[in-house]
Amino acid sequence: MEYSKTTDKLTEFLDSGIYRFEDSNAVFIDPVRVLNRSYTRFRVSPSAYYCRPFDSTCPPEPSVASNSRKRKRKEKKKKKKPRALNEREQVADQRHQEVRPFLLKAHESLIRTSEVLEVMSNLRGCLGPETSSPGVKQSFVELAQVWQAPLYEITLNFHTNYKEGEDGVIAVMYSTLCLLGSLATQGCEQCVLPLFNNLVVNESSNDVEAEVLTSRYILPPKSSFYMSDMGQIHNLIPAESDFGFSVIVVDPPWENGSARQKSRYKTLPNRYFLSIPIKQLCHTDGAFVALWVTNREKLRDFVEKELFPAWGVTHVATFFWLKVKADGSLICDLDLFHHRPYECLLVGICRGKVMNSKQLLGSDHIPDNQIILSVPGDYSRKPPIGGLLQELAPRLKGGRSIELFAREMTTGWVSWGNEPLHFQESRNFVTE
């Protein structure tokens, strides 16, 4: 009986990409399997997703010398006593100590689950050897800043479905694409649309291949994107709140030295995020808001005291993304002070016009300190947790969902940001 139960769980995991541990408040996510549920003709390439070496670790602590010359200089100096933590660092350490038991228990659950570890050992599959980061040929951020930006277009090439009719005649059905809900194109194999400051929607049930300049992109079914800067985000506010969003995920480009050094993306000062119209984007019944944050105490303090109040969001739970290697071990020591092997997802509720927080949750309770384990993909790429969030409250199921500052697309979701096609380039996919 136990063997059958284990087999069923493994089968479910291989299909969904999510494994739920019974002995801890944790789940393991295989991002590639989760993402592939959004596609019909294409598949996310594991070797492209896991483009960073599996054996990479967190950077060393700032106090550790990065080269032999610095090491020699330090050896000559007398050993200093450990520096006392300042007030903010003490608060950050206290947060870490509180969640540490949950993180350890979740990791122990993973290590004990041999069937998941076996799958993890072959995450890249048979799609080729380890590769370097695929990168992006063109920068949408740079394209948007030139004077020709309004002239840039995206060409969508629809995939045709052939169905055999009763009279033996082949009926050709083409996809439908809408632009801002007013422009519909049917019965054509190709459609050319403005790239920036437009809501581009793939309403079909198939993947769509798109072209921008000389690059190809894959758009999943029932998905849409709006590529713009912060000045255009208000265009996403629905005319009627009944058409608002029930789940809102936000992954802001927080200011941090690491991002600047690596030149991966442009960051923004914290005050810019105060103007995001979360309240106006919400559905009449309210919405769940999930915000990715780093472990900097200064940032947590800003979110709790300024950002969430400005958005009208009440914090109800904190999730943690615990990063592991393909062999199941943590990417670095759990107690490294400046480089924790986890990130935080603050989950809150934005009260709607109809229901308050208790009514929105109903009889359900969101457990705090939930742990999400997964192997990291490219730099700053978050695991796909949209499905988990949509399960939080049955009353919100079926509502619209949006990701702000998105860099990829998901079936059923609206992706907004200045580079929502970042991970949609065809080189990240293989044909099924």
Coordinates of all heavy atoms in Angstrom, one line a residue, residues 116-179:
V116 N 12.4 11.8 -5.6 CA 12.6 13.1 -6.1 C 14.1 13.4 -6.4 O 14.4 14.0 -7.4 CB 12.1 14.2 -5.0 CG1 12.4 15.6 -5.5 CG2 10.6 14.0 -4.8
L117 N 15.0 12.9 -5.5 CA 16.4 13.1 -5.7 C 16.8 12.4 -7.0 O 17.7 12.9 -7.7 CB 17.2 12.6 -4.6 CG 17.0 13.3 -3.2 CD1 17.8 12.6 -2.1 CD2 17.5 14.7 -3.3
E118 N 16.2 11.3 -7.3 CA 16.6 10.6 -8.6 C 16.2 11.4 -9.8 O 16.9 11.5 -10.8 CB 15.9 9.2 -8.6 CG 16.3 8.4 -9.8 CD 15.7 7.0 -9.7 OE1 15.1 6.6 -8.7 OE2 15.8 6.3 -10.7
V119 N 15.0 12.0 -9.7 CA 14.6 12.9 -10.8 C 15.5 14.1 -10.9 O 15.9 14.5 -12.0 CB 13.1 13.3 -10.6 CG1 12.7 14.3 -11.7 CG2 12.2 12.1 -10.7
M120 N 15.9 14.7 -9.8 CA 16.7 15.9 -9.8 C 18.1 15.6 -10.4 O 18.7 16.5 -11.0 CB 16.9 16.4 -8.4 CG 15.7 17.0 -7.8 SD 15.9 17.4 -6.0 CE 17.2 18.6 -6.1
S121 N 18.6 14.4 -10.3 CA 19.9 14.0 -10.8 C 19.9 14.1 -12.3 O 21.0 14.2 -12.9 CB 20.3 12.6 -10.4 OG 19.5 11.7 -11.0
N122 N 18.7 14.2 -13.0 CA 18.7 14.2 -14.4 C 17.8 15.4 -14.9 O 17.1 15.3 -15.8 CB 18.2 12.9 -15.0 CG 18.3 12.8 -16.5 OD1 19.3 13.3 -17.0 ND2 17.4 12.2 -17.2
L123 N 17.9 16.5 -14.2 CA 17.1 17.7 -14.5 C 17.3 18.2 -15.9 O 16.3 18.6 -16.5 CB 17.3 18.8 -13.5 CG 16.7 18.7 -12.1 CD1 17.0 19.9 -11.2 CD2 15.2 18.6 -12.2
R124 N 18.5 18.1 -16.4 CA 18.8 18.7 -17.7 C 18.3 17.7 -18.8 O 18.4 18.0 -20.0 CB 20.2 19.0 -17.9 CG 20.7 20.2 -17.1 CD 22.0 20.8 -17.6 NE 22.4 22.0 -16.9 CZ 23.2 22.0 -15.9 NH1 23.8 20.9 -15.5 NH2 23.6 23.1 -15.3
G125 N 18.0 16.5 -18.4 CA 17.5 15.5 -19.3 C 18.5 15.1 -20.3 O 19.7 15.2 -20.1
C126 N 18.1 14.7 -21.5 CA 19.0 14.3 -22.6 C 19.1 15.3 -23.7 O 19.2 14.9 -24.9 CB 18.6 12.9 -23.1 SG 16.9 12.9 -23.7
L127 N 18.9 16.6 -23.3 CA 18.9 17.6 -24.3 C 20.2 18.3 -24.5 O 20.3 19.4 -25.0 CB 17.8 18.6 -24.0 CG 16.4 18.1 -23.9 CD1 15.4 19.1 -23.4 CD2 15.9 17.6 -25.3
G128 N 21.3 17.6 -24.2 CA 22.6 18.2 -24.5 C 23.3 18.5 -23.2 O 22.8 18.5 -22.1
P129 N 24.6 18.8 -23.3 CA 25.5 19.1 -22.1 C 25.2 20.4 -21.5 O 24.4 21.2 -22.1 CB 26.9 19.0 -22.7 CG 26.7 19.5 -24.1 CD 25.4 18.9 -24.5
E130 N 25.8 20.6 -20.4 CA 25.6 21.9 -19.7 C 26.0 23.1 -20.6 O 27.1 23.0 -21.2 CB 26.4 21.9 -18.4 CG 26.3 23.1 -17.6 CD 27.2 23.0 -16.3 OE1 26.9 22.0 -15.6 OE2 28.1 23.8 -16.1
T131 N 25.3 24.1 -20.6 CA 25.6 25.2 -21.5 C 25.7 26.5 -20.6 O 25.3 26.6 -19.5 CB 24.5 25.5 -22.5 OG1 23.2 25.8 -21.8 CG2 24.3 24.2 -23.4
S132 N 26.3 27.5 -21.2 CA 26.4 28.8 -20.5 C 25.0 29.5 -20.7 O 24.2 29.0 -21.5 CB 27.5 29.7 -21.1 OG 27.2 29.8 -22.5
S133 N 24.8 30.6 -20.0 CA 23.6 31.3 -20.1 C 23.2 31.7 -21.5 O 24.1 32.2 -22.2 CB 23.6 32.6 -19.2 OG 22.4 33.3 -19.3
P134 N 22.0 31.3 -22.0 CA 21.6 31.6 -23.4 C 21.6 33.1 -23.7 O 21.7 33.5 -24.8 CB 20.3 30.9 -23.5 CG 19.7 30.9 -22.1 CD 20.9 30.7 -21.2
G135 N 21.3 33.9 -22.6 CA 21.3 35.3 -22.9 C 20.2 35.7 -23.8 O 19.3 35.0 -24.1
V136 N 20.2 36.9 -24.3 CA 19.2 37.5 -25.1 C 19.9 38.3 -26.2 O 20.8 39.1 -26.0 CB 18.2 38.4 -24.4 CG1 17.2 39.0 -25.3 CG2 17.5 37.6 -23.3
K137 N 19.5 38.0 -27.5 CA 20.2 38.7 -28.6 C 19.9 40.2 -28.6 O 20.8 41.0 -28.9 CB 19.7 38.1 -29.9 CG 20.2 36.8 -30.2 CD 19.8 36.3 -31.6 CE 20.3 34.9 -31.9 NZ 19.8 34.5 -33.3
Q138 N 18.7 40.6 -28.2 CA 18.4 42.0 -28.3 C 17.8 42.5 -27.0 O 17.1 41.7 -26.3 CB 17.4 42.3 -29.4 CG 16.1 41.5 -29.3 CD 15.2 41.5 -30.6 OE1 15.7 41.9 -31.6 NE2 14.0 41.1 -30.5
S139 N 18.0 43.7 -26.6 CA 17.5 44.3 -25.4 C 16.3 45.1 -25.6 O 16.4 46.1 -26.3 CB 18.6 45.1 -24.7 OG 18.1 45.9 -23.6
F140 N 15.2 44.6 -25.0 CA 13.9 45.4 -25.2 C 14.0 46.7 -24.5 O 13.4 47.7 -24.9 CB 12.7 44.6 -24.7 CG 12.4 43.4 -25.6 CD1 12.7 42.1 -25.2 CD2 11.9 43.6 -26.9 CE1 12.4 41.0 -26.0 CE2 11.6 42.5 -27.7 CZ 11.9 41.2 -27.2
V141 N 14.8 46.8 -23.4 CA 14.9 48.0 -22.7 C 15.6 49.1 -23.5 O 15.2 50.2 -23.6 CB 15.8 47.8 -21.4 CG1 16.0 49.1 -20.6 CG2 15.1 46.8 -20.5
E142 N 16.6 48.6 -24.3 CA 17.3 49.6 -25.2 C 16.5 49.9 -26.4 O 16.5 51.1 -26.8 CB 18.6 48.9 -25.7 CG 19.7 48.7 -24.6 CD 20.9 48.0 -25.0 OE1 21.0 47.7 -26.3 OE2 21.8 47.8 -24.2
L143 N 15.7 49.0 -26.9 CA 14.8 49.2 -28.0 C 13.8 50.3 -27.7 O 13.4 51.2 -28.5 CB 14.1 48.0 -28.5 CG 14.9 46.9 -29.3 CD1 14.1 45.8 -29.7 CD2 15.5 47.6 -30.6
A144 N 13.3 50.2 -26.5 CA 12.2 51.1 -26.0 C 12.7 52.6 -25.9 O 11.9 53.5 -25.9 CB 11.6 50.6 -24.7
Q145 N 14.0 52.8 -25.8 CA 14.5 54.1 -25.5 C 14.9 54.9 -26.8 O 15.2 56.0 -26.7 CB 15.8 54.0 -24.6 CG 15.4 53.5 -23.2 CD 16.7 53.2 -22.4 OE1 17.8 53.1 -22.9 NE2 16.5 53.0 -21.1
V146 N 14.9 54.2 -28.0 CA 15.3 54.9 -29.2 C 14.0 55.5 -29.8 O 12.9 55.2 -29.5 CB 15.9 53.9 -30.2 CG1 17.2 53.3 -29.6 CG2 14.9 52.8 -30.6
W147 N 14.2 56.5 -30.7 CA 13.1 57.3 -31.2 C 12.2 56.4 -32.1 O 11.0 56.7 -32.3 CB 13.6 58.5 -32.0 CG 14.3 58.1 -33.3 CD1 15.7 57.9 -33.5 CD2 13.7 57.9 -34.6 NE1 16.0 57.6 -34.8 CE2 14.8 57.6 -35.5 CE3 12.4 58.0 -35.0 CZ2 14.6 57.4 -36.8 CZ3 12.2 57.7 -36.4 CH2 13.3 57.4 -37.3
Q148 N 12.7 55.3 -32.6 CA 11.9 54.4 -33.5 C 11.0 53.5 -32.7 O 10.3 52.7 -33.3 CB 12.8 53.6 -34.4 CG 13.8 54.4 -35.3 CD 15.2 54.4 -34.7 OE1 15.3 54.5 -33.4 NE2 16.2 54.3 -35.5
A149 N 11.1 53.5 -31.4 CA 10.3 52.6 -30.5 C 8.9 52.4 -31.0 O 8.4 51.3 -31.0 CB 10.4 53.0 -29.1
P150 N 8.1 53.5 -31.2 CA 6.7 53.3 -31.6 C 6.6 52.5 -32.9 O 5.5 52.1 -33.3 CB 6.2 54.7 -31.7 CG 7.1 55.5 -30.9 CD 8.5 54.9 -31.1
L151 N 7.6 52.4 -33.7 CA 7.6 51.8 -35.0 C 7.9 50.3 -35.0 O 7.6 49.6 -35.9 CB 8.5 52.5 -36.0 CG 8.4 54.0 -36.2 CD1 9.4 54.5 -37.2 CD2 6.9 54.3 -36.7
Y152 N 8.4 49.9 -33.9 CA 8.8 48.4 -33.8 C 7.5 47.6 -33.7 O 6.5 48.0 -33.0 CB 9.7 48.2 -32.6 CG 11.1 48.6 -32.7 CD1 11.6 49.6 -31.9 CD2 11.9 48.1 -33.8 CE1 13.0 50.0 -32.0 CE2 13.2 48.5 -33.9 CZ 13.7 49.5 -33.1 OH 15.0 49.9 -33.3
E153 N 7.5 46.5 -34.3 CA 6.3 45.6 -34.4 C 6.7 44.2 -34.0 O 7.8 43.8 -34.1 CB 5.7 45.6 -35.8 CG 5.2 47.0 -36.2 CD 4.8 47.1 -37.7 OE1 5.4 46.4 -38.5 OE2 3.8 47.8 -38.0
I154 N 5.7 43.4 -33.7 CA 5.8 42.0 -33.4 C 4.9 41.3 -34.4 O 3.7 41.7 -34.6 CB 5.4 41.7 -32.0 CG1 5.6 40.1 -31.7 CG2 4.0 42.1 -31.6 CD1 5.5 39.7 -30.3
T155 N 5.4 40.3 -35.0 CA 4.7 39.5 -36.0 C 4.3 38.1 -35.4 O 5.2 37.4 -35.0 CB 5.5 39.3 -37.3 OG1 5.8 40.6 -37.9 CG2 4.7 38.5 -38.3
L156 N 3.0 37.8 -35.3 CA 2.6 36.6 -34.8 C 2.2 35.6 -35.9 O 1.4 36.0 -36.8 CB 1.4 36.8 -33.8 CG 1.8 37.4 -32.5 CD1 1.6 38.9 -32.6 CD2 1.0 36.8 -31.4
N157 N 2.8 34.5 -35.9 CA 2.5 33.4 -36.9 C 1.7 32.3 -36.3 O 2.2 31.6 -35.4 CB 3.8 32.8 -37.4 CG 4.7 33.9 -38.1 OD1 4.3 34.5 -39.0 ND2 5.9 34.1 -37.5
F158 N 0.4 32.3 -36.7 CA -0.5 31.3 -36.0 C -0.3 29.9 -36.5 O 0.0 29.7 -37.7 CB -1.9 31.7 -36.4 CG -2.3 33.1 -35.9 CD1 -2.8 34.1 -36.8 CD2 -2.1 33.5 -34.6 CE1 -3.1 35.3 -36.4 CE2 -2.4 34.8 -34.2 CZ -2.9 35.7 -35.1
H159 N -0.4 29.0 -35.6 CA -0.3 27.6 -35.9 C -1.7 27.1 -36.3 O -2.7 27.3 -35.5 CB 0.2 26.8 -34.8 CG 0.1 25.3 -35.0 ND1 0.9 24.6 -35.9 CD2 -0.6 24.3 -34.3 CE1 0.7 23.3 -35.9 NE2 -0.2 23.1 -34.9
T160 N -1.9 26.5 -37.4 CA -3.3 26.0 -37.9 C -3.6 24.7 -37.4 O -2.7 23.8 -37.3 CB -3.3 26.0 -39.4 OG1 -2.3 25.2 -39.9 CG2 -3.2 27.5 -39.9
N161 N -4.8 24.5 -37.0 CA -5.3 23.1 -36.5 C -6.2 22.5 -37.6 O -7.1 23.2 -38.1 CB -6.1 23.3 -35.3 CG -5.3 23.7 -34.1 OD1 -4.1 23.3 -34.0 ND2 -5.8 24.4 -33.2
Y162 N -5.9 21.3 -38.0 CA -6.7 20.7 -39.0 C -7.6 19.6 -38.4 O -7.2 18.8 -37.6 CB -5.8 20.0 -40.1 CG -4.9 20.9 -40.8 CD1 -3.6 21.2 -40.4 CD2 -5.4 21.6 -41.9 CE1 -2.8 22.1 -41.0 CE2 -4.6 22.5 -42.6 CZ -3.3 22.8 -42.2 OH -2.5 23.7 -42.8
K163 N -8.9 19.7 -38.7 CA -9.9 18.7 -38.2 C -10.7 18.1 -39.3 O -11.1 18.8 -40.2 CB -10.8 19.4 -37.2 CG -10.1 19.9 -35.9 CD -11.1 20.5 -35.0 CE -10.4 21.0 -33.7 NZ -11.3 21.6 -32.7
E164 N -10.8 16.8 -39.3 CA -11.5 16.1 -40.3 C -13.0 16.2 -40.1 O -13.5 15.8 -39.0 CB -11.1 14.6 -40.3 CG -11.7 13.8 -41.5 CD -11.0 14.2 -42.8 OE1 -9.8 14.6 -42.7 OE2 -11.6 14.0 -43.8
G165 N -13.8 16.9 -41.0 CA -15.2 17.0 -40.8 C -15.9 15.8 -41.2 O -15.4 14.9 -41.8
E166 N -17.2 15.7 -41.0 CA -18.0 14.5 -41.3 C -18.1 14.3 -42.8 O -18.2 13.2 -43.3 CB -19.5 14.7 -40.7 CG -19.5 14.7 -39.2 CD -20.9 14.8 -38.7 OE1 -21.8 14.9 -39.5 OE2 -21.1 14.7 -37.5
D167 N -18.1 15.4 -43.6 CA -18.2 15.3 -45.0 C -16.8 15.1 -45.7 O -16.7 15.1 -46.9 CB -18.8 16.6 -45.6 CG -18.1 17.8 -45.2 OD1 -17.1 17.7 -44.4 OD2 -18.5 18.9 -45.6
G168 N -15.8 14.9 -44.8 CA -14.4 14.6 -45.4 C -13.7 15.9 -45.8 O -12.5 15.8 -46.2
V169 N -14.3 17.0 -45.6 CA -13.6 18.3 -45.9 C -12.7 18.7 -44.8 O -13.2 18.7 -43.6 CB -14.6 19.4 -46.3 CG1 -13.9 20.7 -46.6 CG2 -15.4 18.9 -47.5
I170 N -11.5 19.1 -45.0 CA -10.6 19.6 -44.0 C -11.0 21.0 -43.7 O -11.0 21.9 -44.5 CB -9.2 19.5 -44.5 CG1 -8.7 18.1 -44.7 CG2 -8.2 20.1 -43.4 CD1 -8.7 17.2 -43.5
A171 N -11.3 21.3 -42.4 CA -11.7 22.6 -42.0 C -10.4 23.2 -41.3 O -9.8 22.6 -40.4 CB -12.8 22.6 -41.0
V172 N -10.0 24.4 -41.7 CA -8.9 25.0 -41.2 C -9.3 26.1 -40.2 O -10.0 27.0 -40.6 CB -8.0 25.7 -42.3 CG1 -6.8 26.3 -41.7 CG2 -7.6 24.6 -43.4
M173 N -8.8 26.0 -39.0 CA -9.2 26.9 -37.9 C -8.0 27.7 -37.5 O -6.9 27.1 -37.3 CB -9.7 26.1 -36.7 CG -10.9 25.2 -36.9 SD -12.4 26.1 -37.4 CE -12.7 26.9 -35.8
Y174 N -8.1 29.0 -37.5 CA -7.0 29.9 -37.2 C -7.2 30.5 -35.8 O -8.3 30.6 -35.3 CB -6.8 31.0 -38.2 CG -6.4 30.5 -39.6 CD1 -7.4 30.4 -40.6 CD2 -5.1 30.1 -39.8 CE1 -7.0 30.0 -41.8 CE2 -4.8 29.7 -41.1 CZ -5.7 29.6 -42.1 OH -5.4 29.1 -43.3
S175 N -6.1 30.8 -35.2 CA -6.1 31.4 -33.8 C -6.7 32.8 -33.9 O -6.7 33.5 -34.9 CB -4.7 31.5 -33.2 OG -4.1 30.2 -33.2
T176 N -7.1 33.3 -32.8 CA -7.7 34.6 -32.6 C -6.7 35.4 -31.8 O -6.2 35.0 -30.8 CB -9.1 34.6 -32.0 OG1 -9.9 33.8 -32.7 CG2 -9.6 36.0 -31.8
L177 N -6.4 36.6 -32.2 CA -5.6 37.5 -31.4 C -6.3 38.8 -31.2 O -6.9 39.4 -32.1 CB -4.2 37.7 -32.1 CG -3.3 38.6 -31.2 CD1 -1.9 38.0 -31.1 CD2 -3.2 40.0 -31.9
C178 N -6.3 39.3 -29.9 CA -6.9 40.6 -29.6 C -5.9 41.6 -29.2 O -4.9 41.2 -28.6 CB -7.9 40.4 -28.5 SG -9.4 39.5 -29.0
L179 N -6.1 42.8 -29.5 CA -5.3 43.9 -29.1 C -6.1 44.9 -28.3 O -7.0 45.5 -28.8 CB -4.6 44.6 -30.3 CG -3.7 45.8 -30.0 CD1 -2.5 45.3 -29.2 CD2 -3.3 46.4 -31.3

